[in-house]
Amino acid sequence: MRSKTKKVLKMAKGYRGRGKNCVSIATRRVQKGLEHAYKHRKQKKRDFRSMWIQSVNAGVREHGLNYSRFVNQLNISGIDLNRKSLSALAQTEPFSFRAVVEIAKQNGPALESIKKVYETGQQYVAVPREHFADMEPYLANTKQFTPVPLEGKELEEWLKKGQDWAEKNTEKEPEDPFDDYLKEDP
């Protein structure tokens, strides 16, 4: 036998029927098997990532957050843990995982609580007073935002002003002259 035939038959060991000893059938089966192996090597990486995300999500929900907010707050906090290690922490080290979640919770609300408020065409950022000091380094780099320390009723008033301004300055649809014609009874 030729070396190519031997190679194919060696790879076809364990196949059922003529797929293991008939060269023409074994060649097709081995080729199909190699295609599936290639495809599933890629799929395995996706499956593991999905599994890690699910376990982190389950662990985070026990502490009152969801996965997307937790990851956002981790990035804000500067914690560089990948999903695999977070999943391992959530499953095997619940107290360590809780510590990571608490750190993310402490640092997250400062940026999470930013509200965009529009007044007189300028864009303002409303920041709760207790987080204003934490926000200054972030807001100093962004030229379009002007930080305004607010809390409680002040914050609500600013948001209301911004909504009123947005309602006034949004373009209204022009009235159709045929609307009146259609409304009139003949």
Side-chain angles (χ1 to χ4, degrees):
M1 266 198 251
R2 288 179 109 214
S3 64
K4 188 174 183 182
T5 305
K6 283 183 186 177
K7 191 175 176 182
V8 168
L9 290 176
K10 186 176 179 183
M11 290 173 77
K13 261 188 185 173
Y15 287 9
R16 296 180 65 181
R18 290 192 305 163
K20 67 177 172 264
N21 49 16
C22 182
V23 176
S24 61
I25 296 173
T27 305
R28 289 192 299 257
R29 293 240 180 116
V30 166
Q31 181 63 36
K32 185 58 92 171
L34 291 173
E35 287 173 7
H36 285 305
Y38 177 82
K39 180 173 64 174
H40 290 124
R41 277 196 304 273
K42 309 297 178 202
Q43 185 68 42
K44 184 169 85 170
K45 293 167 183 60
R46 286 179 248 157
D47 291 343
F48 269 100
R49 181 184 163 97
S50 174
M51 185 182 69
W52 295 330
I53 288 172
Q54 289 170 14
S55 68
V56 170
N57 190 19
V60 166
R61 285 183 185 269
E62 291 177 2
H63 301 292
L65 281 175
N66 63 15
Y67 175 78
S68 63
R69 286 204 176 171
F70 173 66
V71 170
N72 182 31
Q73 291 177 0
L74 275 183
N75 291 336
I76 290 168
S77 302
I79 298 173
D80 294 330
L81 289 174
N82 61 13
R83 288 163 182 82
K84 183 178 181 180
S85 58
L86 284 171
S87 173
L89 274 177
Q91 292 172 5
T92 60
E93 297 284 335
F95 294 112
S96 302
F97 185 72
R98 182 177 182 196
V100 172
V101 172
E102 291 302 320
I103 291 170
K105 274 185 176 180
Q106 287 172 0
N107 297 336
L111 285 178
E112 184 182 308
S113 62
I114 291 177
K115 305 284 185 188
K116 291 180 185 173
V117 180
Y118 301 93
E119 184 177 68
T120 65
Q122 293 181 359
Q123 200 170 19
Y124 292 89
V125 175
V127 179
R129 198 176 295 279
E130 66 268 11
H131 298 299
F132 187 67
D134 302 334
M135 294 302 302
E136 286 187 88
Y138 295 106
L139 297 172
N141 298 333
T142 57
K143 294 177 183 171
Q144 74 244 27
F145 295 127
T146 305
V148 180
L150 297 173
E151 67 179 9
K153 293 200 177 210
E154 292 175 321
L155 179 62
E156 291 173 14
E157 289 172 13
W158 265 81
L159 293 173
K160 181 72 174 136
K161 284 181 187 176
Q163 289 171 352
D164 293 343
W165 182 86
E167 288 172 5
K168 285 180 197 171
N169 294 320
T170 52
E171 292 183 23
K172 295 179 182 173
E173 292 183 26
E175 292 182 18
D176 191 359
F178 293 107
D179 285 343
D180 295 332
Y181 177 76
L182 294 174
K183 288 179 187 173
E184 293 175 8
D185 292 329

Coordinates of all heavy atoms in Angstrom, one line a residue, residues 98-174:
R98 N -16.4 38.0 45.9 CA -17.3 39.0 46.5 C -16.4 40.3 46.7 O -16.9 41.4 46.5 CB -17.8 38.6 47.8 CG -18.7 39.6 48.5 CD -19.3 39.1 49.8 NE -20.2 40.1 50.3 CZ -20.6 40.1 51.6 NH1 -20.2 39.1 52.4 NH2 -21.4 41.0 52.0
A99 N -15.2 40.2 47.1 CA -14.3 41.3 47.3 C -14.1 42.1 45.9 O -14.2 43.3 45.9 CB -12.9 40.9 47.8
V100 N -14.0 41.3 44.8 CA -13.8 42.0 43.5 C -15.1 42.7 43.2 O -15.1 43.8 42.7 CB -13.5 40.9 42.4 CG1 -13.6 41.5 41.0 CG2 -12.1 40.3 42.7
V101 N -16.3 42.1 43.5 CA -17.6 42.7 43.2 C -17.7 44.0 44.0 O -18.2 45.0 43.5 CB -18.7 41.8 43.4 CG1 -20.1 42.5 43.3 CG2 -18.7 40.6 42.5
E102 N -17.3 44.0 45.3 CA -17.4 45.1 46.1 C -16.6 46.3 45.6 O -17.0 47.4 45.7 CB -17.1 44.8 47.6 CG -18.1 43.9 48.3 CD -19.5 44.4 48.3 OE1 -19.7 45.7 48.5 OE2 -20.5 43.7 48.1
I103 N -15.4 46.0 45.2 CA -14.5 47.0 44.6 C -15.1 47.6 43.4 O -15.1 48.9 43.3 CB -13.1 46.4 44.3 CG1 -12.4 46.1 45.6 CG2 -12.3 47.4 43.5 CD1 -11.1 45.3 45.4
A104 N -15.7 46.8 42.6 CA -16.3 47.3 41.3 C -17.6 48.1 41.7 O -17.8 49.2 41.1 CB -16.7 46.1 40.4
K105 N -18.3 47.7 42.7 CA -19.5 48.5 43.2 C -19.1 49.8 43.7 O -19.8 50.8 43.5 CB -20.3 47.7 44.2 CG -21.2 46.7 43.7 CD -22.0 46.2 44.9 CE -23.1 45.2 44.5 NZ -23.8 44.7 45.7
Q106 N -18.0 49.9 44.4 CA -17.6 51.2 45.0 C -17.2 52.2 44.0 O -17.5 53.4 44.0 CB -16.4 51.0 46.0 CG -16.8 50.3 47.3 CD -15.5 50.0 48.1 OE1 -14.4 50.2 47.7 NE2 -15.8 49.4 49.2
N107 N -16.4 51.8 43.0 CA -15.9 52.7 42.0 C -16.8 52.9 40.8 O -16.7 53.9 40.1 CB -14.6 52.1 41.4 CG -13.5 52.1 42.5 OD1 -13.6 52.8 43.5 ND2 -12.6 51.2 42.4
G108 N -17.8 52.0 40.6 CA -18.6 52.1 39.4 C -19.6 53.3 39.4 O -19.8 53.9 38.4
P109 N -20.3 53.5 40.6 CA -21.4 54.5 40.5 C -21.0 55.9 40.1 O -21.8 56.7 39.6 CB -22.0 54.5 42.0 CG -21.6 53.2 42.5 CD -20.3 52.8 41.8
A110 N -19.7 56.3 40.3 CA -19.3 57.6 40.0 C -19.5 57.9 38.5 O -20.1 58.9 38.1 CB -17.8 57.8 40.3
L111 N -19.1 57.0 37.7 CA -19.3 57.2 36.2 C -20.7 56.7 35.8 O -21.2 57.2 34.8 CB -18.2 56.4 35.4 CG -16.9 57.0 35.5 CD1 -15.9 56.2 34.7 CD2 -16.9 58.4 34.9
E112 N -21.2 55.7 36.5 CA -22.6 55.2 36.1 C -23.6 56.3 36.2 O -24.6 56.3 35.5 CB -22.9 54.0 36.9 CG -24.1 53.3 36.5 CD -24.4 52.1 37.5 OE1 -23.5 51.3 37.6 OE2 -25.5 52.0 38.0
S113 N -23.5 57.1 37.3 CA -24.5 58.1 37.6 C -24.5 59.4 36.7 O -25.2 60.3 37.0 CB -24.4 58.5 39.1 OG -23.2 59.1 39.3
I114 N -23.6 59.4 35.8 CA -23.5 60.6 34.9 C -24.8 60.7 34.1 O -25.2 59.7 33.5 CB -22.3 60.5 34.0 CG1 -21.1 60.7 34.8 CG2 -22.4 61.6 32.9 CD1 -19.8 60.6 33.9
K115 N -25.4 61.9 34.1 CA -26.6 62.1 33.3 C -26.3 63.2 32.3 O -25.7 64.2 32.7 CB -27.8 62.5 34.1 CG -28.2 61.6 35.3 CD -28.9 60.4 34.7 CE -29.3 59.6 35.9 NZ -29.8 58.3 35.5
K116 N -26.7 63.0 31.0 CA -26.5 64.1 30.1 C -27.7 65.0 30.1 O -28.8 64.6 30.0 CB -26.3 63.5 28.7 CG -25.0 62.7 28.5 CD -24.9 62.2 27.1 CE -23.7 61.3 27.0 NZ -23.6 60.6 25.8
V117 N -27.4 66.3 30.3 CA -28.5 67.3 30.4 C -28.2 68.4 29.4 O -27.1 68.8 29.3 CB -28.5 67.9 31.8 CG1 -29.6 68.9 31.9 CG2 -28.7 66.8 32.9
Y118 N -29.2 68.7 28.6 CA -29.0 69.7 27.6 C -29.7 71.0 28.0 O -30.9 71.0 28.4 CB -29.6 69.2 26.3 CG -29.0 67.9 25.8 CD1 -29.6 66.7 26.2 CD2 -27.9 68.0 25.1 CE1 -29.0 65.6 25.7 CE2 -27.3 66.8 24.7 CZ -27.9 65.6 25.0 OH -27.3 64.4 24.6
E119 N -29.0 72.1 28.0 CA -29.6 73.4 28.2 C -28.8 74.4 27.4 O -27.6 74.5 27.4 CB -29.5 73.8 29.7 CG -30.2 75.1 30.0 CD -30.1 75.4 31.5 OE1 -29.1 75.7 32.0 OE2 -31.2 75.3 32.1
T120 N -29.5 75.3 26.7 CA -29.0 76.3 25.9 C -28.0 75.8 24.9 O -27.0 76.4 24.6 CB -28.4 77.5 26.7 OG1 -27.3 77.0 27.4 CG2 -29.4 78.1 27.6
G121 N -28.2 74.6 24.4 CA -27.3 74.1 23.3 C -26.0 73.5 23.8 O -25.2 72.9 23.1
Q122 N -25.7 73.7 25.1 CA -24.4 73.1 25.6 C -24.7 71.8 26.4 O -25.8 71.6 26.9 CB -23.8 74.1 26.6 CG -23.3 75.4 25.9 CD -22.6 76.3 26.9 OE1 -22.5 76.0 28.1 NE2 -22.1 77.4 26.4
Q123 N -23.7 71.0 26.4 CA -23.9 69.7 27.0 C -23.3 69.7 28.4 O -22.1 70.0 28.6 CB -23.2 68.6 26.2 CG -23.7 67.3 26.4 CD -23.2 66.3 25.4 OE1 -22.2 66.6 24.7 NE2 -23.8 65.2 25.2
Y124 N -24.1 69.4 29.4 CA -23.6 69.4 30.8 C -23.6 67.9 31.4 O -24.4 67.1 30.9 CB -24.4 70.3 31.7 CG -24.3 71.7 31.4 CD1 -25.1 72.3 30.5 CD2 -23.3 72.5 32.0 CE1 -25.0 73.7 30.2 CE2 -23.2 73.8 31.7 CZ -24.0 74.4 30.8 OH -23.8 75.7 30.5
V125 N -22.8 67.7 32.4 CA -22.9 66.4 33.0 C -23.3 66.7 34.5 O -22.7 67.5 35.2 CB -21.5 65.7 33.0 CG1 -21.5 64.5 33.8 CG2 -21.1 65.4 31.6
A126 N -24.4 66.0 34.9 CA -24.8 66.1 36.3 C -24.2 65.0 37.1 O -24.4 63.8 36.7 CB -26.4 66.0 36.3
V127 N -23.5 65.3 38.1 CA -22.8 64.3 38.9 C -23.3 64.5 40.3 O -23.3 65.6 40.9 CB -21.3 64.5 38.8 CG1 -20.5 63.5 39.6 CG2 -20.8 64.5 37.4
P128 N -23.6 63.4 41.0 CA -24.0 63.5 42.4 C -22.8 64.1 43.2 O -21.6 63.8 42.9 CB -24.3 62.0 42.8 CG -24.6 61.4 41.6 CD -23.9 62.0 40.5
R129 N -23.1 64.9 44.2 CA -22.1 65.6 44.9 C -21.0 64.7 45.6 O -19.9 65.1 45.6 CB -22.8 66.5 46.0 CG -21.9 67.6 46.5 CD -22.7 68.5 47.5 NE -23.8 69.2 46.9 CZ -23.7 70.3 46.2 NH1 -22.5 70.9 46.0 NH2 -24.7 70.9 45.7
E130 N -21.4 63.6 46.1 CA -20.4 62.7 46.8 C -19.4 62.1 45.8 O -18.3 61.7 46.2 CB -21.1 61.6 47.6 CG -21.9 60.6 46.7 CD -23.3 60.9 46.6 OE1 -23.7 62.1 46.9 OE2 -24.1 60.1 46.1
H131 N -19.7 62.1 44.5 CA -18.8 61.5 43.5 C -18.1 62.6 42.7 O -17.3 62.2 41.8 CB -19.5 60.6 42.6 CG -20.2 59.4 43.3 ND1 -19.4 58.5 44.0 CD2 -21.4 59.0 43.4 CE1 -20.2 57.6 44.5 NE2 -21.5 57.9 44.1
F132 N -18.3 63.8 43.0 CA -17.8 64.9 42.2 C -16.3 64.9 42.2 O -15.6 65.0 41.2 CB -18.3 66.2 42.6 CG -18.0 67.4 41.7 CD1 -18.5 67.4 40.4 CD2 -17.1 68.3 42.1 CE1 -18.2 68.4 39.6 CE2 -16.8 69.4 41.2 CZ -17.3 69.4 40.0
A133 N -15.7 64.7 43.4 CA -14.2 64.7 43.5 C -13.6 63.5 42.7 O -12.5 63.7 42.1 CB -13.8 64.6 44.9
D134 N -14.3 62.4 42.7 CA -13.8 61.2 42.0 C -13.8 61.5 40.4 O -13.1 60.9 39.7 CB -14.6 60.0 42.3 CG -14.5 59.6 43.8 OD1 -13.6 60.0 44.4 OD2 -15.5 59.0 44.3
M135 N -14.8 62.3 40.0 CA -15.1 62.4 38.6 C -14.1 63.4 37.9 O -13.9 63.4 36.7 CB -16.5 62.9 38.4 CG -17.5 61.9 38.8 SD -17.3 60.4 37.9 CE -17.4 60.9 36.2
E136 N -13.6 64.4 38.7 CA -12.8 65.4 38.0 C -11.7 64.9 37.1 O -11.5 65.5 36.0 CB -12.2 66.4 39.1 CG -13.3 67.3 39.7 CD -12.8 68.3 40.6 OE1 -12.5 69.4 40.1 OE2 -12.7 68.0 41.8
P137 N -10.9 63.9 37.5 CA -9.9 63.5 36.5 C -10.4 62.9 35.2 O -9.9 63.1 34.1 CB -9.1 62.4 37.3 CG -9.7 62.3 38.6 CD -10.8 63.2 38.7
Y138 N -11.6 62.3 35.3 CA -12.2 61.7 34.1 C -12.8 62.9 33.2 O -12.7 62.9 32.0 CB -13.4 60.8 34.4 CG -12.9 59.5 35.1 CD1 -13.1 59.4 36.5 CD2 -12.2 58.5 34.4 CE1 -12.7 58.2 37.1 CE2 -11.8 57.4 35.1 CZ -12.0 57.3 36.4 OH -11.6 56.1 37.1
L139 N -13.4 63.8 33.9 CA -14.1 64.9 33.1 C -13.1 65.9 32.6 O -13.4 66.6 31.6 CB -15.2 65.6 34.0 CG -16.3 64.6 34.4 CD1 -17.2 65.3 35.4 CD2 -17.1 64.2 33.3
A140 N -12.0 66.1 33.2 CA -11.0 67.0 32.7 C -10.5 66.7 31.3 O -10.2 67.6 30.6 CB -9.8 67.1 33.7
N141 N -10.5 65.5 31.0 CA -10.0 65.1 29.7 C -11.0 65.2 28.6 O -10.7 65.2 27.4 CB -9.5 63.6 29.7 CG -8.4 63.4 30.6 OD1 -7.6 64.3 30.9 ND2 -8.3 62.2 31.2
T142 N -12.3 65.4 28.9 CA -13.3 65.5 27.9 C -13.7 67.0 27.8 O -14.2 67.6 28.8 CB -14.6 64.7 28.3 OG1 -15.0 65.1 29.6 CG2 -14.2 63.2 28.3
K143 N -13.5 67.6 26.6 CA -13.8 69.0 26.5 C -15.3 69.3 26.4 O -15.7 70.4 26.7 CB -13.0 69.5 25.2 CG -11.6 69.4 25.4 CD -10.9 69.9 24.1 CE -9.4 69.7 24.3 NZ -8.6 69.9 23.1
Q144 N -16.1 68.3 25.9 CA -17.5 68.7 25.6 C -18.3 68.7 26.9 O -19.4 69.1 26.9 CB -18.1 67.7 24.6 CG -18.4 66.3 25.2 CD -17.5 65.3 24.5 OE1 -16.5 65.5 24.0 NE2 -18.0 64.0 24.5
F145 N -17.8 68.2 28.0 CA -18.5 68.1 29.2 C -18.1 69.2 30.2 O -16.9 69.5 30.4 CB -18.3 66.8 29.9 CG -18.9 65.6 29.2 CD1 -18.1 64.5 28.9 CD2 -20.2 65.6 28.7 CE1 -18.6 63.4 28.2 CE2 -20.7 64.6 28.0 CZ -19.9 63.5 27.7
T146 N -19.1 69.8 30.9 CA -18.8 70.7 31.9 C -19.4 70.1 33.2 O -20.6 69.9 33.3 CB -19.5 72.1 31.7 OG1 -19.0 72.6 30.4 CG2 -19.1 73.1 32.7
P147 N -18.5 69.8 34.2 CA -19.1 69.1 35.4 C -19.9 70.1 36.2 O -19.5 71.2 36.5 CB -17.8 68.7 36.1 CG -16.7 69.5 35.6 CD -17.1 69.9 34.2
V148 N -21.0 69.7 36.7 CA -21.9 70.5 37.6 C -22.2 69.6 38.8 O -22.9 68.6 38.6 CB -23.2 70.9 36.8 CG1 -24.0 71.7 37.7 CG2 -22.8 71.7 35.6
P149 N -21.7 69.9 40.0 CA -22.1 69.1 41.1 C -23.5 69.3 41.6 O -23.9 70.4 41.9 CB -21.1 69.6 42.2 CG -20.8 71.0 41.8 CD -20.9 71.1 40.3
L150 N -24.3 68.2 41.6 CA -25.7 68.3 41.9 C -26.1 67.1 42.8 O -25.4 66.1 42.8 CB -26.6 68.2 40.7 CG -26.4 69.3 39.6 CD1 -27.2 69.0 38.4 CD2 -26.8 70.7 40.2
E151 N -27.1 67.3 43.6 CA -27.7 66.2 44.3 C -29.2 66.5 44.6 O -29.7 67.6 44.5 CB -27.0 66.0 45.6 CG -27.1 67.1 46.6 CD -26.4 66.8 47.9 OE1 -25.6 65.9 48.0 OE2 -26.6 67.6 48.8
G152 N -29.9 65.4 44.8 CA -31.3 65.5 45.2 C -32.2 66.3 44.3 O -32.3 66.0 43.1
K153 N -32.8 67.3 44.8 CA -33.8 68.1 44.0 C -33.1 68.9 42.9 O -33.6 69.1 41.8 CB -34.5 69.1 44.9 CG -35.5 68.4 45.9 CD -36.5 69.3 46.4 CE -37.4 68.4 47.3 NZ -38.8 68.8 47.3
E154 N -31.8 69.4 43.2 CA -31.1 70.1 42.2 C -30.9 69.2 40.9 O -31.1 69.7 39.8 CB -29.7 70.5 42.7 CG -29.7 71.5 43.8 CD -28.3 71.8 44.3 OE1 -27.5 70.8 44.4 OE2 -28.0 72.9 44.6
L155 N -30.6 68.0 41.1 CA -30.4 67.0 40.0 C -31.7 66.8 39.3 O -31.7 66.9 38.0 CB -29.8 65.7 40.6 CG -29.6 64.6 39.5 CD1 -28.5 65.0 38.5 CD2 -29.2 63.3 40.2
E156 N -32.8 66.7 40.0 CA -34.1 66.5 39.3 C -34.4 67.7 38.5 O -35.0 67.6 37.4 CB -35.1 66.2 40.4 CG -35.0 64.8 41.0 CD -35.9 64.6 42.2 OE1 -36.9 65.3 42.3 OE2 -35.7 63.6 42.9
E157 N -34.2 68.9 39.1 CA -34.5 70.1 38.3 C -33.7 70.2 37.1 O -34.2 70.6 36.0 CB -34.2 71.4 39.2 CG -35.2 71.5 40.4 CD -34.8 72.6 41.4 OE1 -33.9 73.4 41.0 OE2 -35.4 72.7 42.4
W158 N -32.4 69.9 37.1 CA -31.6 69.9 35.9 C -32.1 69.0 34.9 O -32.1 69.3 33.7 CB -30.1 69.6 36.3 CG -29.3 70.8 36.6 CD1 -29.2 71.5 37.7 CD2 -28.4 71.4 35.6 NE1 -28.4 72.6 37.5 CE2 -27.9 72.5 36.3 CE3 -28.1 71.2 34.3 CZ2 -27.0 73.4 35.6 CZ3 -27.2 72.0 33.7 CH2 -26.6 73.1 34.4
L159 N -32.4 67.8 35.3 CA -32.9 66.8 34.4 C -34.2 67.3 33.7 O -34.5 67.1 32.5 CB -33.1 65.5 35.0 CG -31.8 64.8 35.5 CD1 -32.2 63.5 36.3 CD2 -31.0 64.4 34.3
K160 N -35.1 67.9 34.5 CA -36.4 68.4 34.0 C -36.1 69.5 33.0 O -36.7 69.6 31.9 CB -37.2 68.9 35.2 CG -38.6 69.5 34.8 CD -39.5 68.4 34.4 CE -40.9 69.0 34.1 NZ -41.5 68.5 32.9
K161 N -35.2 70.5 33.3 CA -34.8 71.5 32.4 C -34.3 71.0 31.1 O -34.6 71.4 30.0 CB -33.8 72.4 33.0 CG -34.2 73.4 34.1 CD -33.1 74.2 34.6 CE -33.5 75.1 35.7 NZ -32.3 75.8 36.3
G162 N -33.5 69.9 31.2 CA -32.9 69.3 30.0 C -34.0 68.7 29.2 O -34.0 68.8 27.9
Q163 N -35.0 68.0 29.8 CA -36.1 67.4 29.0 C -36.9 68.5 28.4 O -37.3 68.3 27.2 CB -36.9 66.5 30.0 CG -36.2 65.3 30.4 CD -37.0 64.5 31.5 OE1 -38.0 65.0 32.0 NE2 -36.5 63.3 31.8
D164 N -37.2 69.6 29.1 CA -38.0 70.7 28.5 C -37.3 71.3 27.3 O -37.9 71.5 26.3 CB -38.3 71.8 29.6 CG -39.2 71.3 30.7 OD1 -39.8 70.2 30.5 OD2 -39.2 71.9 31.8
W165 N -36.0 71.5 27.5 CA -35.2 72.1 26.4 C -35.2 71.1 25.2 O -35.4 71.6 24.0 CB -33.8 72.3 26.8 CG -32.9 72.9 25.8 CD1 -32.8 74.3 25.5 CD2 -32.1 72.3 24.8 NE1 -32.0 74.5 24.4 CE2 -31.5 73.2 24.0 CE3 -31.8 70.9 24.5 CZ2 -30.7 72.9 22.9 CZ3 -31.0 70.6 23.5 CH2 -30.4 71.6 22.7
A166 N -35.1 69.8 25.4 CA -35.1 68.9 24.3 C -36.4 68.9 23.6 O -36.5 68.8 22.4 CB -34.7 67.5 24.8
E167 N -37.5 69.0 24.4 CA -38.8 69.0 23.8 C -39.0 70.2 22.9 O -39.6 70.2 21.8 CB -39.9 68.9 24.8 CG -40.0 67.5 25.5 CD -40.9 67.5 26.7 OE1 -41.6 68.5 27.0 OE2 -41.0 66.4 27.3
K168 N -38.6 71.4 23.4 CA -38.7 72.6 22.7 C -37.9 72.6 21.4 O -38.4 73.1 20.3 CB -38.3 73.8 23.5 CG -39.2 74.2 24.6 CD -38.7 75.4 25.3 CE -39.4 75.6 26.7 NZ -38.7 76.6 27.5
N169 N -36.7 72.1 21.4 CA -35.8 72.2 20.3 C -35.8 71.0 19.3 O -35.0 71.0 18.4 CB -34.4 72.4 20.8 CG -34.3 73.8 21.5 OD1 -34.9 74.8 21.1 ND2 -33.6 73.8 22.6
T170 N -36.6 70.1 19.6 CA -36.7 69.0 18.6 C -37.6 69.5 17.5 O -38.6 70.2 17.7 CB -37.3 67.7 19.2 OG1 -38.5 68.0 19.9 CG2 -36.3 67.1 20.2
E171 N -37.3 69.1 16.3 CA -38.1 69.5 15.1 C -39.5 68.9 15.1 O -39.6 67.6 15.3 CB -37.3 69.2 13.8 CG -36.1 69.9 13.6 CD -35.4 69.6 12.3 OE1 -36.1 69.1 11.4 OE2 -34.2 69.8 12.2
K172 N -40.5 69.7 15.0 CA -41.8 69.2 14.9 C -42.1 69.0 13.4 O -41.7 69.7 12.5 CB -42.8 70.2 15.5 CG -42.6 70.3 17.0 CD -43.5 71.3 17.6 CE -43.3 71.5 19.0 NZ -44.1 72.6 19.6
E173 N -43.0 68.0 13.2 CA -43.4 67.7 11.8 C -44.3 68.9 11.3 O -45.1 69.4 12.0 CB -44.2 66.4 11.7 CG -43.3 65.2 12.0 CD -44.1 63.9 11.9 OE1 -45.1 63.9 11.1 OE2 -43.8 62.9 12.5
P174 N -44.0 69.3 10.1 CA -44.9 70.4 9.5 C -46.3 69.9 9.4 O -46.5 68.7 9.1 CB -44.2 70.7 8.2 CG -43.4 69.5 7.8 CD -43.0 68.9 9.1

